[in-house]
């Protein structure tokens, strides 16, 4: 059995792993290596991993139960794997800094993203470390944010006017809206394994800080959204076909750069459910 190699990519986050074939069942040693690397580096990359949807779901399933997305299409024979295909679906909501499915009571632990079809150029994805962003805040601002909660709303990234244009789409959107009403999470989240603190608001789904007035909330969120995505907290990945990324969704945001139209981009994603966010 080969010994995995972990190559860090930046101080804030990111590492590339080689020496593990994720298309095959993972031994316990390799699972432990990946889990520890994810805790340390927050987003992991595997080059040249031509996995099919069943293999992708199996790999993601080692780390928790899988989510079926309420809006995006999926692979029919593997519904836990959603399809992000720019020829089929409007994916503009990915071209904003966001943390996946924070509109859920138990937002994702992480996600496994596989590159299937790429434009000749463009289409990179950026990740940002919520841990690095939190740790760079001043002590007074940390004290202000501790104990505050924020509302996360499904419709912020999935508005009716873009996702309800046919009878079938409207029925799907209305069902998703009923199942996912707005809810609250802490503004600062404690990682359930490492105990490290992270900013946990994102432009994709966070609408307001509940304990502040509307104007105060707007000002603080604007500041936090800008702060969280400062270049020194981020990493940019230039995809190659069959690359796989696995990120800790509890402490990161990401942004899929929409700079390749009219070329087509197809990605498959398996989302691992997490737990209820908390602060301590």
């Amino acid at each position: 059995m080969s010994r995995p190699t972990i190559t860090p990519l930046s101080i804030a986050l990111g590492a590339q792993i080689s020496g593990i074939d994720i298309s095959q069942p993972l031994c316990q040693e390799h699972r432990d290596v990946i889990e520890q690397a994810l805790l340390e580096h927050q987003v992991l990359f595997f080059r040249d991993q031509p996995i099919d949807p069943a293999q992708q779901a199996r790999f993601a399933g080692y780390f928790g139960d899988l989510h079926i997305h309420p809006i995006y299409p999926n692979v029919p024979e593997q519904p836990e794997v959603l399809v992000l295909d720019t020829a089929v679906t409007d994916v503009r909501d990915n071209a904003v800094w966001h943390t996946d499915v924070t509109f859920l009571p138990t937002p994702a632990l992480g996600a496994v993203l596989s590159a299937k079809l790429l434009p000749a150029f463009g289409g990179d994805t950026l990740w940002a470390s919520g841990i690095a962003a939190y740790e760079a805040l001043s002590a007074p601002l940390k004290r202000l944010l501790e104990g505050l909660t924020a509302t996360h709303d499904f419709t912020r990234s999935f508005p009716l006017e873009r996702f309800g244009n046919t009878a079938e789409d409207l029925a799907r959107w209305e069902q998703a809206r009923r199942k996912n009403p707005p809810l609250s999470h802490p503004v600062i989240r404690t990682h359930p394994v490492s105990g490290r603190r992270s900013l946990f608001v994102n432009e994709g789904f966070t609408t307001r800080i509940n304990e502040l007035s509307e104007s105060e909330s707007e000002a603080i969120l604007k500041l936090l959204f800008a702060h969280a995505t400062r270049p020194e907290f981020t990493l940019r990945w230039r995809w190659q076909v069959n690359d796989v990324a696995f990120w800790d969704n509890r402490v990161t945001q990401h942004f899929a750069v929409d700079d390749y139209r009219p070329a087509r981009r197809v990605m498959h994603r398996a989302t691992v459910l997490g737990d209820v966010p908390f602060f301590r």
Side-chain angles (χ1 to χ4, degrees), residues 172-246:
R172 183 186 301 112
W173 186 91
E174 289 178 335
Q175 181 182 37
R177 186 72 176 92
R178 288 193 298 271
K179 289 185 175 180
N180 299 282
L183 49 70
S184 296
H185 294 307
V187 171
I188 304 298
R189 177 177 185 172
T190 303
H191 194 290
V193 181
S194 71
R196 300 181 74 182
R197 292 176 176 179
S198 169
L199 279 181
F200 198 64
V201 292
N202 70 93
E203 194 172 354
F205 294 111
T206 308
T207 57
R208 69 163 296 154
I209 297 176
N210 300 317
E211 294 81 6
L212 303 181
S213 69
E214 185 175 351
S215 59
E216 290 171 336
S217 170
E218 182 179 358
I220 294 296
L221 284 178
K222 184 177 180 180
L223 182 154
L224 294 178
F225 293 158
H227 173 80
T229 57
R230 282 167 46 182
E232 60 266 38
F233 308 146
T234 69
L235 172 138
R236 184 174 186 134
W237 184 253
R238 180 165 294 176
W239 293 98
Q240 298 176 13
V241 172
N242 294 323
D243 280 357
V244 173
F246 179 26

Side-chain angles (χ1 to χ4, degrees), residues 122-140:
D124 298 352
T125 303
L126 292 83
W127 278 266
S129 169
I131 292 174
Y134 169 76
E135 291 177 349
L137 292 173
S138 67

Side-chain angles (χ1 to χ4, degrees), residues 49 228 252:
Q49 299 277 346
T252 62

